[in-house]
Amino acid sequence: MTTRQPARPFRSREWFAAPGRADMAALYLERFMNYGITRDELMSGKPIIGIAQSGSDIAPCNRIHLETVKRAREGILAAGGIPMEFPLHPIFENCRRPTAALDRNLAYLGLVEILNGYPIDAVILTTGCDKTTPSSIMAASTVDIPAIVLSGGPMLDGWHEGELVGSGTVIWRSRRKLAAGEIDEAEFLRRATDSAPSAGHCNTMGTASTMNSLAEGLGMSLPGCAMIPAPYRERGQMAYETGKRIVDMAYEDLRPSKILTRQSFLNAINLLTAIGGSTNAQPHLIAMARHAGIDIGPADWMRGYDLPLVVNMQPAGQYLSERFHRAGGIPAVLTEMILAGHIDGSVMTCTGKTLAENVSGREATDRDVIYPYDQPLMEKAGFLVLSGNLFDQAIMKTSVISPDFRARYLSRPGEEGVFQGRAIVFDGSDDYHHRINDPTLEIDANCILVIRGSGPLGWPGSAEVVNMQPPDHLIQAGIMSLPTLGDGRQSGTSDSPSILNASPESAAGGGLAWLHTGDTIRIDLNAGSCNALVEPDEIARRKGEPAPPIPESQTPWEELFREKTGQLGEGGVLEFAVKYRKTSEKVPRHNH
């Protein structure tokens, strides 16, 4: 028996000791014997540490965890815990159809049931592909047992003919080159595949790198964990240290509710700006906050709007994750932000120390990659929240506004930051791909591409389709991007300054439902407004027209998802689920 006493009795004792119910203890113990674990181990009083395994052959971004958990287990054992590994629902953004956005809430539900209903005292959350991070943290908050994030890390830097090619980002850039006739399809494939040279998730600051970075910024993973490339030796070392640390967290009863505070989420918003992170972070951060019982609104996002971009990493910058890690990674960025007074370093973290204590002495070592706060890569690089008659809320990532885009659309004398154009409306991505080169649409440089039917209800799930490229004839004329707007998402690896995540979506009665091709849209970034210049009487008339078509549900989960899921502006969560918090405080009743 262990002599170390936990701050709160371990939940697993209710199974393996089962006070007053020896018959139930026997039932719970008996079947664990069949793979070689001993009765003495389970009855020792040591904490049972769950390892939520997100790696599999159909989740290649997380597959590295088939290896990392071996070192995590060794760390758990060395610290006096008992590891128990279990599988998670797989999530793979690139391959899942119709969209992996369906899987975040499904993985969340599954993990809640495992953590709540099995004898687990604390858990390692293995993350990688973007939605594995929020789904795991959402579940950890709901159940509220000690939890720590172990990310799998990004791939090594991709190279093609001496040029850095970032995963995802190279796809969007190569599509434009293909349309311009600069490359053929074989070269397109070579560029794309060269961007994925090793195990790991996206090596750009796409949503995977963003969400793992924010997990570290939230205090849910050990310092430096997020950006260690998957193949590096430090990844195994981090797994070992994570295994050791979660045992101590179990004894200390250091739960998510003690780490995930309102201030920690405000820190995450500011960190998001500094790293040039993904637009998908908006619904994910809101979802994690809501499951932690914290409200994050548009005003909170605007607090980060005026902050600078300090990380020079694709898609907003030049480099990839390997060099960012060597430059100091997230600890170095946090150091810059704490010293500048824009990150509160007093918040608690999974180490049992404050964020400031975690990153003390971790300054940047490569100023080509991590810029000083007062000499940034870009000023005012945050996420702009917009509203108007087309939606109540949408966002725009300003760190990817290129000089060409700014000169073409945002620099008109006397109306800087204001542009308007003729709407070209598409009902989903198939409609876009079929008609974008239709000459009868007469798309020119003064058009705004709009896509609807791509939100949580309309797709269903919400799809990464808003980063639409111009028709081929414009690309061939040197116009590489048009203003784009939609009620779906876009890849975090995209360099498009789209207005996206529009809520409510067209399928929920949002203004995009009544928008027509040919309408004029006026966007004022100074005022944070986006409006179709259509008379109120005409809008009222159009609202009586049939709604834009949406596809039928193909599976039971799609139907249930549509019934229970809210809008992206509110995190796209299962609305009925946010009321469940700290479920571990009541142990479920016996099963026999």
Side-chain angles (χ1 to χ4, degrees):
M1 297 288 289
T2 182
T3 58
R4 188 178 180 185
Q5 295 300 311
R8 182 173 72 157
F10 291 140
R11 296 176 79 242
S12 60
R13 301 295 289 160
E14 295 291 332
W15 277 260
F16 299 132
R21 289 296 305 272
D23 61 326
M24 293 308 304
L27 184 67
Y28 299 135
L29 287 164
E30 173 261 333
R31 201 51 53 92
F32 278 104
M33 306 297 103
N34 73 2
Y35 71 89
I37 196 168
T38 67
R39 171 182 163 185
D40 287 345
E41 288 175 281
L42 296 175
M43 299 189 73
S44 66
K46 295 178 179 180
I48 305 297
I49 308 297
I51 304 175
Q53 176 58 274
S54 62
S56 70
D57 287 349
I58 62 170
C61 296
N62 293 43
R63 196 177 186 279
I64 190 66
H65 285 306
L66 300 179
E67 297 300 321
T68 64
V69 298
K70 297 174 184 177
R71 290 296 288 146
R73 293 176 74 97
E74 291 165 356
I76 292 168
L77 292 167
I82 298 172
M84 285 192 178
E85 183 181 344
F86 57 86
L88 291 181
H89 180 82
I91 303 178
F92 180 24
E93 179 66 60
N94 294 30
C95 200
R96 169 72 153 99
R97 300 168 77 169
T99 173
L102 287 165
D103 290 332
R104 189 199 69 181
N105 292 350
L106 185 57
Y108 156 78
L109 284 178
L111 184 54
V112 166
E113 292 304 310
I114 294 169
L115 298 182
N116 192 69
Y118 283 87
I120 297 172
D121 300 307
V123 63
I124 294 176
L125 308 169
T126 66
T127 66
C129 190
D130 51 4
K131 295 164 195 64
T132 57
T133 305
S135 64
S136 295
I137 293 176
M138 288 155 59
S141 281
T142 296
V143 182
D144 202 33
I145 60 173
I148 192 169
V149 168
L150 173 62
S151 54
M155 296 182 288
L156 300 176
D157 289 358
W159 293 89
H160 178 76
E161 297 181 353
E163 175 188 359
L164 277 172
V165 285
S167 49
T169 302
V170 70
I171 300 290
W172 320 122
R173 294 176 179 176
S174 296
R175 277 183 176 178
R176 295 194 288 265
K177 289 181 177 290
L178 183 66
E182 296 176 13
I183 62 174
D184 59 18
E185 291 185 358
E187 173 65 6
F188 190 155
L189 293 174
R190 284 192 293 269
R191 290 168 60 86
T193 54
D194 283 353
S195 71
S198 74
H201 59 67
C202 292
N203 50 28
T204 48
M205 188 54 73
T207 313
S209 290
T210 297
M211 295 313 301
N212 287 292
S213 296
L214 296 185
E216 186 175 327
L218 285 166
M220 288 295 291
S221 62
L222 295 181
C225 179
M227 295 312 300
I228 300 170
Y232 274 28
R233 67 182 183 185
E234 291 94 334
R235 180 53 62 191
Q237 293 165 347
M238 180 61 70
Y240 179 78
E241 293 299 328
T242 299
K244 289 175 59 180
R245 178 58 196 153
I246 190 60
V247 175
D248 287 340
M249 290 177 69
Y251 278 104
E252 295 163 12
D253 192 30
L254 182 51
R255 291 174 273 151
S257 59
K258 301 177 182 180
I259 297 171
L260 297 176
T261 63
R262 176 169 170 77
Q263 187 56 55
S264 68
F265 280 101
L266 296 179
N267 281 349
I269 291 173
N270 290 353
L271 176 61
L272 179 65
T273 296
I275 63 177
S278 167
T279 53
N280 288 311
Q282 183 221 16
H284 292 330
L285 270 175
I286 293 172
M288 292 189 294
R290 291 189 67 191
H291 282 289
I294 296 163
D295 179 49
I296 297 294
D300 297 315
W301 286 95
M302 292 305 294
R303 293 184 186 187
Y305 174 61
D306 287 333
L307 299 181
L309 172 68
V310 301
V311 175
N312 187 11
M313 187 171 165
Q314 295 181 24
Q318 178 180 0
Y319 298 108
L320 298 174
S321 54
E322 202 175 348
R323 186 162 174 181
F324 178 39
H325 165 65
R326 294 200 302 268
I330 295 303
V333 179
L334 289 171
T335 296
E336 290 289 333
M337 300 295 283
I338 290 171
L339 291 175
H342 292 290
I343 290 282
D344 183 348
S346 69
V347 296
M348 177 55 62
T349 73
C350 66
T351 66
K353 301 177 182 178
T354 67
L355 192 64
E357 289 173 320
N358 286 350
V359 302
S360 178
R362 303 284 288 269
E363 290 82 8
T365 58
D366 183 348
R367 287 303 187 182
D368 286 337
V369 183
I370 303 175
Y371 282 50
Y373 180 88
D374 57 359
Q375 301 175 47
L377 184 61
M378 178 188 289
E379 300 278 2
K380 295 186 177 181
F383 289 77
L384 178 63
V385 180
L386 299 104
S387 61
N389 63 6
L390 292 174
F391 45 76
D392 294 338
Q393 179 182 331
I395 62 165
M396 182 181 191
K397 179 178 176 179
T398 63
S399 64
V400 290
I401 296 176
S402 67
D404 177 72
F405 188 95
R406 186 173 296 278
R408 187 180 301 277
Y409 297 109
L410 301 174
S411 301
R412 187 166 50 178
E415 285 201 299
E416 291 82 0
V418 179
F419 64 98
Q420 64 184 47
R422 183 169 60 94
I424 307 295
V425 182
F426 299 102
D427 286 308
S429 63
D430 286 342
D431 185 33
Y432 160 76
H433 287 293
H434 290 155
R435 294 199 298 129
I436 184 60
N437 289 309
D438 183 348
T440 65
L441 292 176
E442 298 181 340
I443 301 175
D444 59 26
N446 295 313
C447 289
I448 298 174
L449 304 181
V450 180
I451 191 166
R452 64 190 177 192
S454 53
L457 306 182
W459 195 260
S462 79
E464 295 187 338
V465 295
V466 182
N467 50 315
M468 297 168 284
Q469 70 182 36
D472 293 355
H473 75 272
L474 289 184
I475 291 176
Q476 291 160 10
I479 299 173
M480 296 298 165
S481 62
L482 290 175
T484 53
L485 164 64
D487 55 12
R489 303 174 296 115
Q490 72 181 26
S491 171
T493 65
S494 171
D495 54 4
S496 172
S498 306
I499 296 171
L500 70 169
N501 299 357
S503 303
E505 63 181 297
S506 61
L512 294 183
W514 54 256
L515 188 70
H516 287 182
T517 291
D519 290 343
T520 297
I521 298 176
R522 180 178 174 85
I523 298 166
D524 186 339
L525 301 188
N526 307 307
S529 65
C530 177
N531 291 284
L533 304 184
V534 179
E535 292 298 323
D537 288 349
E538 174 62 11
I539 293 174
R541 186 193 68 78
R542 292 184 188 181
K543 286 182 177 180
E545 296 177 345
I550 61 173
E552 293 182 355
S553 297
Q554 289 185 292
T555 66
W557 171 241
E558 287 184 15
E559 181 174 340
L560 185 60
F561 181 96
R562 279 172 154 154
E563 179 184 334
K564 300 296 186 182
T565 301
Q567 293 292 289
L568 291 176
E570 289 76 49
V573 299
L574 297 168
E575 289 293 337
F576 73 91
V578 294
K579 67 178 178 285
Y580 292 93
R581 296 196 58 234
K582 300 184 178 182
T583 65
S584 63
E585 293 184 353
K586 181 179 180 181
V587 178
R589 59 184 178 177
H590 289 298
N591 59 19
H592 283 77

